[in-house]
């Protein structure tokens, strides 16, 4: 500690503190092309989806890696977004293929820069129609709507729609009469019932569905999510899913299961038809339905090749769709080069439904089919 004293007027000059410099590139930055940024702008990401995408880009590209294990709690803490909202948003982004995951539901996650592969968002939530807008209406909770202007609605207790939106005990159905609520729930259930699961056990399924819907902040968006999930799993021929009862699907919350990888059946069929000799049966995409054994075998093999690492390399056979299509094309080329394939009798057993079985595909690729 200094005990020096200074004569008045001779104190040392105070050096002003250096002002904060603000964010600097030397502290880290992310390189991202203008093309991708504009594609993100056009993607119409909703709610917490956009900040989550940017967070994942920062955590991966910002550290010069393609993908990384990012737990829901880590993203939630980093962005200050509830974990449930993070989980729902990530599931939607994975469904839309804006994000991708390597391996199972706990595997690394990354941003898919190939924006032409992104899928459209789920259908927008429906607005409940309200009658007699000019004069106001009485709700089942005895509150009267009083329209002060054309833009917002003020309730009898002077609570605006914006205030009500922030309340957790109110969802879009809360401002409807009992009859309107019932009609809206009936309509949403009918949409769910037509999604593609077996039409069995309608009454218990309806009771379970409505009970779930009443807990949702956006019932229409939740219904759209379930419908999209069901159709995705049916298209991917998830084993046993086509026989799953609707109530079981709802009770077990199967929409939370890991989504299967989308298999480009049509492109693989095209490769088979192009590479195989003329006498080998050609396949029509219209006949290659999810009910067929070949469809299911190909869907399962594609998922395994794309997500599960090989023991020899520790990496999957392929990670991107174009790579996978080229892999199957090469398999078919190698099969077409086998001598006995060119005999007429080979048409009896050499079929696409056989070649896409995972073990047979591996044998063909390794040259073990002679």
């Amino acid at each position: 500690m200094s005990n020096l004293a200074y004569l008045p007027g001779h104190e040392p000059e105070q050096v002003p503190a250096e002002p904060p410099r603000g964010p600097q590139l030397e502290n880290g930055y992310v390189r991202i092309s203008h093309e991708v940024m504009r594609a993100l702008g056009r993607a119409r990401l909703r709610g917490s989806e956009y900040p989550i995408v940017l967070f994942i880009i920062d955590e991966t590209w910002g550290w010069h890696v393609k993908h990384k294990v990012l737990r829901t709690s880590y993203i939630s803490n980093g962005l200050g977004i509830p974990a449930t909202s993070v989980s729902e948003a990530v599931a939607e982004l994975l469904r839309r293929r804006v994000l991708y995951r390597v391996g199972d539901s706990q595997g690394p996650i990354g941003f898919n820069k190939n924006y032409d592969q992104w899928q459209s968002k789920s259908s927008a939530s429906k607005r409940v129609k309200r009658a007699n807008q000019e004069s106001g209406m009485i709700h089942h909770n005895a509150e009267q709507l009083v329209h002060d202007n054309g833009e917002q609605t003020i309730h009898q207790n002077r609570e605006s729609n914006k205030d009500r939106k922030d309340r957790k005990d109110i969802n879009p159905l809360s401002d409807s009469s009992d009859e309107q609520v019932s009609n809206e729930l009936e309509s949403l259930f009918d949409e769910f019932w037509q999604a593609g699961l077996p039409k069995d056990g309608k009454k218990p399924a309806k009771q379970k569905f409505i009970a779930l819907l009443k807990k949702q902040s956006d019932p229409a968006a939740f219904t759209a999510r379930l419908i999209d999930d069901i159709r995705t799993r049916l298209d991917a021929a998830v084993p046993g899913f086509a026989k799953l009862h609707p109530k079981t699907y709802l009770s077990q919350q199967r929409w939370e299961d890991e989504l299967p990888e989308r298999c480009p059946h049509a492109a693989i069929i095209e490769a088979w038809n192009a590479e195989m000799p003329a006498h080998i049966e050609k396949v029509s995409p219209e006949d290659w339905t999810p009910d067929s054994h070949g469809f299911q075998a190909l869907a399962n093999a594609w998922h395994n090749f794309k997500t599960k690492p090989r023991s020899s390399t520790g990496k999957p056979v392929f990670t991107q769709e174009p790579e996978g299509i080229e892999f199957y094309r090469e398999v078919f080329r190698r099969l077409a080069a086998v001598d006995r394939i060119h005999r007429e009798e080979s048409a009896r057993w050499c079929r696409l439904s056989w070649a896409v079985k995972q073990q047979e595909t591996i044998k063909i690729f390794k040259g073990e089919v002679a």
Side-chain angles (χ1 to χ4, degrees), residues 268 272 288 294 297-302 304-305 317-318 324-335 351-369:
I268 294 173
W272 169 269
W288 190 260
L298 177 54
N300 291 336
W302 175 273
N304 291 335
F305 286 143
V317 175
F318 51 83
I325 296 171
E326 186 55 36
F327 165 77
Y328 273 98
R329 187 177 291 276
E330 178 60 25
V331 168
F332 302 150
R333 288 193 191 111
R334 296 186 183 191
L335 180 60
R351 299 176 182 270
L352 179 60
S353 57
W354 160 78
V356 296
K357 293 178 180 177
Q358 184 172 336
Q359 292 304 318
E360 300 301 332
T361 303
I362 293 172
K363 289 179 182 178
I364 296 169
F365 188 80
K366 289 183 176 180
E368 295 175 359
V369 174

Side-chain angles (χ1 to χ4, degrees), residues 173-246:
L173 300 178
S174 298
D175 284 338
S176 305
S177 66
D178 290 340
E179 183 179 358
Q180 285 176 317
V181 170
S182 178
N183 291 339
E184 180 71 3
L185 293 175
E186 288 277 355
S187 176
L188 292 174
F189 176 74
D190 289 341
E191 293 178 28
F192 168 79
W193 190 247
Q194 300 298 327
L197 290 177
K199 292 180 172 59
D200 197 352
K202 186 173 185 177
K203 185 176 180 179
K206 184 175 182 179
Q207 292 173 342
K208 183 66 179 177
F209 178 82
I210 290 176
L212 283 170
L213 222 56
K214 288 181 177 179
K215 299 177 182 178
Q216 306 303 317
S217 60
D218 193 337
F222 180 71
T223 302
R225 176 187 173 190
L226 298 189
I227 293 171
D228 183 73
D229 178 79
I230 289 169
R231 290 173 177 168
T232 298
R233 297 179 193 279
L234 288 173
D235 288 344
V238 174
F241 191 81
K243 298 180 180 180
L244 189 67
H245 287 194

Side-chain angles (χ1 to χ4, degrees), residues 8 39 49-53 65 84 95 100 118-119 130 134 152 169 209 230 265-266 272 276 313 320 343 353:
E49 293 173 1
Y50 194 77
I52 287 174
V53 168
V65 295
T84 53
R95 183 200 69 78
Y100 68 90
W118 299 352
Q119 297 180 4
R130 294 175 174 80
E134 291 74 23
Q152 82 170 340
D169 60 325
F209 178 82
I230 289 169
H265 291 272
W272 169 269
M276 298 306 294
T313 64
Q320 299 295 326
R343 302 172 189 167
S353 57

Side-chain angles (χ1 to χ4, degrees), residues 234 237 242 287-296:
L234 288 173
D287 297 330
W288 190 260
T289 64
D291 296 331
S292 66
H293 294 300
F295 186 105
Q296 295 174 21

